[in-house]
Amino acid sequence: MQVRICYVRGHVEVYDQFGAFLFSADNLGEALAELEEDAA
C-alpha cells in the first residue's frame, strides 16, 4: 500500500494513495510501526 505521511503541528498524519486519512501518530516511528502492524 502506498501512503503519504505529513507532518502537522508536531505530529504526523498518514493518508492512503487516494488522499483518504488513515490515522495520526505522535511521531514517524509510531506511524511506521502502525503501518507495519497493518501489513502483517
Side-chain angles (χ1 to χ4, degrees):
M1 173 195 299
Q2 289 184 323
V3 297
R4 187 177 84 219
I5 299 175
C6 301
Y7 289 93
V8 179
R9 296 186 186 129
H11 70 278
V12 295
E13 295 181 351
V14 182
Y15 297 86
D16 70 8
Q17 66 267 29
F18 304 109
F21 177 80
L22 297 175
F23 62 89
S24 63
D26 290 334
N27 56 55
L28 180 59
E30 284 184 10
L32 294 175
E34 181 75 23
L35 288 167
E36 195 170 299
E37 275 183 26
D38 289 347

